[in-house]
């Protein structure tokens, strides 16, 4: 046996040592570290993420893009629902703070949804939407506050400052951090809490960030739950053009809307259409609806960073909505309306300056309220053959792109200007007395009901005295009544003779006048696919005052409310006379009961005396002897229907109030011979392959049977309105216009105050006269004179007719020019 040398022994020792080290390492890895490694491995978990494609485009009738999505990146945070407790809140807050710092350092902005605000004096208050929208209902505000308190775990009696301080403690906001920075962090936590019931939902911290932000976020290893994700940004390439039609998107906190979103597979923080077509066609446009959403199953590590993708199901994009709107015609209408309003304003300024002392005296007589000048307006172009809205303007407008990102205080103040209300769609949401544009209804109803024939003649007498017991009756506008002698209905329209239509309306009666106005659609919505349309109404007792509804909030006009205030002041005076003091509650109850006598059928004098005795202790004998009941009756006369009210309703005054779009539908029905269409701004809906998903067919609201061809006489009267040869009242406004001979229409100036400069200016027209194609309505509040509104109609008709004749070649994007 060979003996080992000293060198061999050393080598064996080295190998033995190495084996010992290796054994120790294996022991540590498999035994000592095994549990720890197993814990770490268990933190690599699968997560299912909702994936959405692009929202559908909104296009004009020729394929011009008006709204589309472009690709972008958002920064989102996902809170693992298993990571709860104080420790995890601190870690997530630290992560949010670091993320906000990265975003802002690279020029981005974080979301700002926190409901606790602070004014310039440091006072804190809750803002559940009332600041942006002062008209928001109390029910909606209460619903939003209830939802917020449920999600943030606050009782109803906790105020804004206490809630803010509690949230700072709860979410470990550093003491040295100021309010402005703290609310950014708390706003994100607020949104996390809103989404806690959905374990897979992420919350957006910042939208449309730059690539520097994306790179930093993705490279960071200590941002718990934070990721950069692919997203989209809504783009409105035409800025303010057709803004009131296209609309915009936003997040919502409305309880009913949130429930609808949940039922349809949305995340609660998803943006949805809240205005215009973006809102009404949400189900077609949306890529967030569950049936179109895809999914991505990924592995995420302990900080919720994606390790690898396990499964992917592609989403489907939303459908494209094609409007009836013609973009080039829309641009022309916008420009023409703005120009017309400026001309009205200039004419008013000139008149006001020339007769300053006159207008100053009128202003003083009404308490010093300054004269209002033309600053706003609306116009509608409708296809009379089917109810399609080809263009619709509300001036001033606003840039839709303001709603795709952060909005500056200056921009916000501009679009919420109380005087011009840019975001208010005046074409469908404004109501005003139509003035003489209503006379076609009165004349046509009288023909149909046999009150007059086409050959009946009526001579103007200036003041209309029929059924006037005391005081003055309503007058015709002319200072020379003999110029309105022996008028037929055609001549009555041509001359716009008020007396003619007072006379006719009185004999027709308010019920029949309302019946025919209803048939022309003037007391119903047009059902256009836009948010905010209000219902027009034609005057009658229920509109003037409805004794079945609350005086302060349930009436269609303010007449009853004003009368109530007058009666309360009179009742206070009776108390002074009798050395009695009545409470506000007594006076309110007494006045309300007195007003409710109107339309009840009870004798007013007896009823007034009884109510004053029961509520105020005034003996009936005293009320009768001092004629207090008669004085109160005089106030009630203002809200009691009578024949004079019927007469002035016949010329579009009294408490009749219509929207420009309702007036457009009515004029279209005259132009096409009696078919009243519902209005539409939707032509069709197509998928991304061009397949038609929904093709909008004309919807008929009603058809007016015209067996005697009475409509021809109305059209002839409207033709003569613009005829220089026949001396029509609107002829001078079209003097020299090349299409004047092929237009029929009516001007209308509705009185709104004692100052004529403040009158509402209307102009309605259609062209061609034979086989009419389009009707135009121009509406300018405080527009002074209706003839001034002709500029808008002329410029639009010239553009439309020239283009048809091939003398104008607009630059129109073809159907193949969609944004992909």
């Amino acid at each position: 046996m060979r003996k080992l040398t000293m060198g061999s022994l050393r080598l064996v020792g080295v190998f033995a040592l190495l084996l010992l080290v290796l054994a120790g390492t294996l022991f540590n890895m498999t035994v000592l570290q095994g549990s720890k490694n197993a814990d770490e491995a268990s933190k690599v978990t699968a997560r299912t993420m909702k994936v959405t494609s692009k929202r559908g485009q909104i296009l004009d009738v020729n394929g011009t893009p008006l709204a589309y999505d472009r690709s972008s990146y958002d920064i989102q945070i996902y809170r693992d629902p298993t990571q709860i407790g104080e420790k995890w809140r601190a870690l997530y807050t630290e992560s949010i703070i670091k993320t906000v710092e990265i975003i802002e350092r690279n020029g981005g902005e974080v979301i700002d949804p926190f409901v606790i605000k602070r004014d310039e004096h440091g006072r804190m208050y809750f803002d559940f939407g009332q600041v942006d929208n002062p008209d928001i209902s109390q029910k909606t505000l209460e619903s939003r506050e209830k939802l917020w308190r449920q999600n943030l775990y606050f009782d109803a009696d906790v105020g804004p400052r206490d809630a803010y301080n509690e949230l700072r403690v709860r979410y470990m906001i550093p003491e040295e951090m100021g309010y402005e920075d703290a609310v950014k962090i708390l706003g994100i936590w607020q949104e996390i809490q809103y989404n806690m019931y959905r374990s897979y939902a992420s919350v957006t911290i910042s939208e449309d960030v730059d690539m520097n932000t994306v790179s930093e976020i993705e490279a960071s290893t200590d941002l718990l739950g934070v990721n950069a994700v692919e997203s989209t940004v809504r783009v409105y390439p035409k800025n303010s053009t057709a803004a009131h039609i296209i609309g915009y998107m936003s997040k919502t906190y409305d309880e009913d809307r949130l429930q609808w979103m949940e039922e349809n597979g949305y995340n609660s923080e998803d943006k949805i259409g809240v205005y215009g077509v973006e809102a009404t066609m949400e189900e077609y446009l949306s890529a967030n609806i569950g049936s179109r959403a895809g999914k991505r199953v990924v592995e995420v590590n302990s900080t919720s960073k994606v390790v690898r993708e396990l499964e992917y199901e592609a989403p489907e994009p939303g459908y494209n909505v094609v409007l009836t709107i013609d973009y080039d015609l829309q641009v022309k209408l916008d420009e023409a309306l703005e120009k017309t309003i400026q001309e009205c304003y200039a004419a008013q300024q000139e008149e006001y300056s020339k007769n300053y002392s006159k207008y100053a005296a009128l202003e003083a007589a009404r308490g010093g309220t300054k004269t209002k000048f033309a600053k706003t307006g609306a116009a509608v172009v409708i296809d009379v053959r089917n109810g399609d809205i080809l263009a619709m303007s509300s001036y001033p407008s606003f840039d839709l792109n303001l709603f795709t990102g952060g909005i500056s205080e200056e921009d916000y103040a501009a679009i919420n200007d109380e005087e011009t209300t840019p975001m208010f769609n005046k074409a469908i949401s404004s109501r005003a007395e139509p003035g003489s544009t209503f006379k076609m209804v009165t004349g046509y109803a009288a023909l149909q009901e046999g009150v007059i024939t086409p050959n009946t003649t009526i001579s103007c007498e200036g003041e209309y005295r029929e059924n006037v017991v005391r005081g003055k009756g309503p007058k015709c506008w002319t200072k020379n009544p003999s110029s309105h002698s022996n008028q037929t209905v055609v001549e009555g329209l041509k001359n716009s003779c008020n007396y003619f239509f007072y006379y006719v309306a009185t004999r027709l009666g308010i019920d029949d006048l309302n019946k025919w106005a209803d048939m022309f659609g003037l007391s119903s919505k047009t059902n256009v696919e836009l948010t905010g349309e209000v219902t027009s109404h034609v005057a009658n007792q229920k509109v003037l005052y409805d004794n079945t509804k609350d005086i302060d909030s349930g009436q269609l006009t303010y007449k009853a409310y004003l009368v109530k205030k007058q009666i309360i002041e009179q009742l206070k005076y009776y108390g002074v006379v009798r050395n009695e003091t009545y409470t506000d509650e007594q006076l309110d109850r007494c006045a309300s009961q007195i007003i409710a006598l109107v339309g009840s059928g009870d004798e007013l004098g007896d009823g007034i005396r009884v109510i004053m005795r029961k509520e105020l202790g005034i003996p009936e004998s005293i009320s009768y002897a001092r004629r207090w009941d008669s004085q109160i009756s005089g106030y009630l006369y203002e809200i009691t229907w009578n024949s004079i009210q019927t007469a002035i309703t016949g010329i579009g005054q009294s408490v009749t109030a219509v929207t420009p779009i309702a007036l457009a539908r009515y004029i279209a029905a005259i132009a096409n011979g009696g078919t009243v269409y519902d209005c539409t701004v939707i032509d069709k809906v197509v998928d991304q392959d061009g397949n038609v998903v929904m093709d909008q067919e004309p919807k008929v609201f009603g058809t007016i049977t015209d067996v005697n061809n009475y409509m021809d006489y109305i059209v002839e009267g409207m033709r003569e309105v613009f005829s220089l040869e026949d001396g029509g009242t609107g002829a001078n406004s079209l003097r020299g216009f090349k299409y004047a001979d092929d237009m029929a229409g009516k001007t209308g100036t509705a009185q709104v105050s004692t100052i004529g400069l403040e009158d509402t200016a209307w102009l309605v027209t259609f062209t061609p006269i034979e086989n009419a194609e389009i009707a135009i309505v121009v509406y300018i509040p405080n527009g002074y004179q209706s003839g001034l509104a002709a500029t808008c109609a002329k410029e639009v008709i010239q553009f439309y007719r020239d283009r048809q004749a091939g003398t104008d070649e607009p630059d129109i994007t073809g159907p193949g020019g969609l944004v992909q």
Side-chain angles (χ1 to χ4, degrees):
M1 191 172 179
R2 182 183 294 177
K3 292 183 178 180
L4 294 174
T5 66
M6 186 60 68
S8 298
L9 287 172
R10 288 194 184 99
L11 185 60
V12 170
V14 170
F15 275 114
L17 182 59
L18 288 173
L19 286 171
L20 187 61
V21 171
L22 179 60
T25 301
L26 287 172
F27 178 79
N28 181 64
M29 292 176 62
T30 58
V31 179
L32 298 180
Q33 296 294 326
S35 176
K36 182 179 179 181
N37 290 338
D39 288 342
E40 290 297 329
S42 68
K43 292 181 181 179
V44 179
T45 58
R47 176 184 166 203
T48 300
M49 304 166 65
K50 177 182 176 182
V51 182
T52 58
S53 183
K54 291 185 177 181
R55 186 176 177 86
Q57 300 177 64
I58 299 176
L59 311 146
D60 93 326
V61 73
N62 298 299
T64 302
L66 303 176
Y68 62 88
D69 276 6
R70 67 166 172 81
S71 298
S72 66
Y73 279 92
D74 292 347
I75 304 302
Q76 294 184 345
I77 185 168
Y78 168 75
R79 185 192 182 188
D80 188 327
T82 66
Q83 295 172 338
I84 57 177
E86 197 171 281
K87 165 194 167 184
W88 288 106
R89 287 201 301 271
L91 289 173
Y92 275 106
T93 291
E94 182 181 358
S95 181
I96 293 169
I97 292 172
K98 290 178 179 178
T99 301
V100 170
E101 190 277 328
I102 292 172
I103 292 168
E104 294 186 337
R105 176 161 32 83
N106 287 294
E109 295 182 354
V110 299
I111 60 170
D112 182 24
F114 198 46
V115 302
I116 299 176
K117 310 291 187 184
R118 188 174 69 174
D119 64 21
E120 65 272 18
H121 304 293
R123 294 186 293 254
M124 290 187 176
Y125 61 94
F126 288 120
D127 176 13
F128 293 101
Q130 69 271 21
V131 174
D132 289 353
N133 181 12
D135 297 324
I136 194 170
S137 71
Q138 188 62 33
K139 179 182 177 182
T140 299
L141 289 175
E142 290 172 357
S143 174
R144 291 180 180 182
E145 181 171 356
K146 179 182 177 183
L147 183 65
W148 183 83
R149 291 182 180 276
Q150 286 175 345
N151 281 287
L152 276 295
Y153 308 109
F154 283 118
D155 293 334
D157 59 346
V158 177
R161 184 168 292 279
D162 288 341
Y164 168 74
N165 291 331
E166 163 62 23
L167 290 172
R168 285 194 66 127
V169 174
R170 185 189 304 175
Y171 294 114
M172 320 291 183
I173 304 296
E175 291 185 9
E176 66 274 12
M177 182 176 284
Y179 169 83
E180 297 297 336
D181 290 323
V183 294
K184 297 173 187 175
I185 314 305
L186 294 177
I188 294 166
W189 269 113
Q190 173 184 283
E191 298 307 289
I192 290 173
Q193 287 303 118
Y194 272 116
N195 283 275
M196 280 307 293
Y197 70 96
R198 283 191 161 174
S199 60
Y200 61 84
S202 296
V203 167
T204 300
I205 297 177
S206 183
E207 299 175 335
D208 195 21
V209 298
D210 66 7
M211 292 310 297
N212 289 332
T213 301
V214 173
S215 299
E216 282 198 56
I217 295 293
E218 289 300 292
S220 299
T221 58
D222 59 347
L223 297 179
L224 183 61
V226 178
N227 285 286
V229 298
E230 292 185 30
S231 184
T232 59
V233 172
R234 199 64 167 165
V235 177
Y236 301 101
K238 305 305 180 184
N239 302 315
S240 62
T241 302
H244 300 90
I245 301 168
I246 299 165
Y248 56 87
M249 301 169 62
S250 177
K251 289 180 62 176
T252 181
Y253 297 99
D254 180 78
E255 203 169 51
D256 293 336
R257 200 66 171 145
L258 285 169
Q259 182 178 347
W260 179 88
M261 290 171 65
E262 182 178 3
E263 292 169 354
N264 286 276
Y266 287 71
N267 293 336
S268 61
E269 75 150 17
D270 286 337
K271 289 184 178 180
I272 62 170
V274 295
Y275 185 76
V277 169
E278 290 278 31
T280 60
M281 302 300 286
E282 172 68 23
E283 293 182 53
Y284 290 104
L285 290 163
S286 177
N288 285 312
I289 285 181
S291 60
R292 296 188 195 125
K295 69 176 181 179
R296 185 184 181 212
V297 182
V298 297
E299 279 188 351
V300 295
N301 62 20
S302 59
T303 62
S304 296
K305 294 285 187 181
V306 175
V307 176
R308 66 189 179 101
E309 185 173 275
L310 301 175
E311 183 183 339
Y312 183 77
E313 183 181 307
E316 296 178 10
Y319 298 143
N320 295 329
V321 173
V322 181
L323 305 181
T324 58
I325 300 300
D326 179 327
Y327 171 72
D328 293 277
L329 187 63
Q330 178 71 41
V331 171
K332 175 53 67 175
L333 183 65
D334 289 348
E335 293 173 348
L337 179 62
E338 181 178 6
K339 178 181 177 181
T340 300
I341 293 170
Q342 291 172 350
E343 289 180 353
C344 288
Y345 183 85
Q348 289 170 310
Q349 290 291 314
E350 182 179 358
E351 167 63 18
Y352 187 86
S353 298
K354 284 183 179 178
N355 298 282
Y356 174 77
S357 57
K358 167 189 169 182
Y359 292 111
L362 291 170
E363 290 170 345
R366 64 178 190 183
T369 303
K370 294 297 182 181
T371 301
K372 295 179 180 179
F373 300 107
K375 292 184 178 180
T376 67
V380 180
V381 182
I382 186 172
D383 189 327
V384 306
R385 299 162 294 187
N386 51 28
D388 287 357
I389 302 300
L390 305 181
M392 184 173 74
S393 292
S394 178
Y395 180 84
S397 187
F398 61 98
D399 187 351
L400 290 170
N401 292 296
L402 294 173
F403 293 91
T404 63
I407 182 170
S408 69
E409 291 184 9
E410 293 79 10
D411 287 337
Y412 180 79
I415 64 175
N416 283 280
D417 179 68
E418 292 184 1
E419 188 174 13
T420 57
T421 57
M423 292 181 64
F424 187 69
N425 188 349
K426 300 164 184 66
I428 67 170
S429 301
S430 287
R431 284 184 297 223
E433 292 180 350
S436 293
T437 64
F438 188 82
K439 289 175 178 176
M440 289 82 78
V441 179
T442 307
Y444 187 77
L447 289 168
Q448 286 279 28
E449 295 295 333
V451 170
I452 59 173
T453 71
N455 297 316
T456 299
T457 59
I458 298 169
S459 292
C460 178
E461 297 178 11
E463 183 181 352
Y464 185 72
R465 294 290 306 171
E466 190 169 341
N467 298 319
V468 176
V469 178
R470 62 180 183 273
K472 296 181 179 180
K475 296 181 179 180
C476 187
W477 63 269
T478 183
K479 295 180 180 179
N480 181 20
S482 62
S483 65
H484 290 178
S485 296
N486 299 316
Q487 300 168 113
T488 62
V489 67
V490 170
E491 292 164 326
L493 286 171
K494 178 194 73 173
N495 296 324
S496 197
C497 178
N498 289 346
Y499 188 95
F500 183 100
F501 293 98
Y502 295 147
Y503 182 95
V504 166
T506 302
R507 281 149 184 77
L508 186 63
I510 195 60
D511 290 340
D512 280 340
L513 189 54
N514 270 262
K515 179 181 77 174
W516 286 96
D518 292 349
M519 292 175 70
F520 276 105
L522 287 175
S523 53
S524 61
K525 292 183 179 180
T526 69
N527 294 317
V528 67
E529 303 91 344
L530 295 173
T531 51
E533 183 182 13
V534 297
T535 307
S536 301
H537 53 254
V538 177
N540 55 43
Q541 178 62 72
K542 293 290 186 182
V543 174
L544 184 62
Y545 166 64
D546 185 347
N547 65 4
T548 66
K549 296 180 179 178
D550 184 73
I551 295 172
D552 298 326
S553 61
Q555 303 295 325
L556 287 171
T557 74
Y558 290 106
K559 291 262 185 180
Y561 173 75
L562 297 175
V563 168
K564 179 181 172 181
K565 288 183 65 177
Q566 291 174 319
I567 291 175
I568 286 175
E569 291 303 314
Q570 195 66 39
L571 294 175
K572 285 181 181 178
Y573 169 74
Y574 299 157
V576 172
V577 172
R578 300 186 66 244
N579 200 28
E580 295 278 354
T581 300
Y582 307 124
T583 67
D584 291 342
E585 184 180 355
Q586 282 180 299
L587 293 166
D588 186 274
R589 188 168 58 245
C590 183
S592 295
Q593 290 182 33
I594 288 172
I595 289 176
L597 293 170
V598 175
S600 66
D602 296 338
E603 203 282 321
L604 292 181
D606 291 342
I608 292 168
R609 291 192 295 273
V610 169
I611 291 170
M612 290 198 298
R613 172 177 58 79
K614 288 182 177 180
E615 297 298 330
L616 304 179
I618 301 175
E620 293 181 44
S621 58
I622 291 179
S623 298
Y624 182 80
R626 297 185 177 182
R627 299 184 61 79
W628 287 351
D629 55 343
S630 296
Q631 290 175 342
I632 298 295
S633 292
Y635 293 119
L636 297 183
Y637 180 79
E638 295 181 41
I639 55 172
T640 303
W641 197 260
N642 55 65
S643 61
I644 296 302
Q645 290 284 355
T646 300
I648 61 176
T649 300
I651 66 163
Q653 298 271 182
S654 184
V655 286
T656 297
V658 300
T659 61
I661 196 171
L663 210 58
R665 174 169 70 168
Y666 145 65
I667 299 303
I670 294 174
N672 68 34
T675 302
V676 183
Y677 290 101
D678 273 354
C679 295
T680 182
V681 292
I682 306 300
D683 178 44
K684 59 188 173 184
V685 178
V686 298
D687 64 19
Q688 296 299 316
D689 296 322
N691 301 309
V692 177
V693 176
M694 187 272 282
D695 196 5
Q696 185 76 287
E697 296 293 331
K699 296 178 182 178
V700 177
F701 169 82
T703 303
I704 297 171
T705 304
D706 188 32
V707 294
N708 296 311
N709 297 320
Y710 287 143
M711 202 73 78
D712 291 346
Y713 295 95
I714 302 301
V715 171
E716 175 58 22
M718 294 174 71
R719 184 197 70 78
E720 292 189 14
V721 165
F722 290 146
S723 170
L724 280 170
E725 182 179 346
D726 295 299
T729 51
N732 282 331
S733 62
L734 298 185
R735 186 182 296 272
F737 182 54
K738 69 177 181 177
Y739 294 112
D741 292 339
D742 205 11
M743 292 169 57
K746 188 76 185 72
T747 55
T749 304
Q751 183 178 357
V752 296
S753 73
T754 57
I755 299 178
L757 287 175
E758 296 181 332
D759 289 349
T760 301
W762 290 96
L763 186 139
V764 301
T765 184
F766 65 86
T767 188
I769 294 176
E770 296 292 332
N771 301 314
E773 297 177 15
I774 62 169
I776 302 173
V777 169
V778 183
Y779 159 67
I780 305 177
N782 308 125
Y784 183 25
Q785 295 175 349
S786 57
L788 294 171
T791 295
C792 182
K794 287 190 295 185
E795 294 203 356
V796 171
I797 287 175
Q798 178 153 343
F799 175 85
Y800 180 86
R801 296 291 296 268
D802 284 354
R803 189 172 65 175
Q804 279 189 320
T807 57
D808 181 48
E809 293 293 337
D811 181 16
I812 298 176
T813 302
L818 310 189
V819 173
Q820 299 300 325

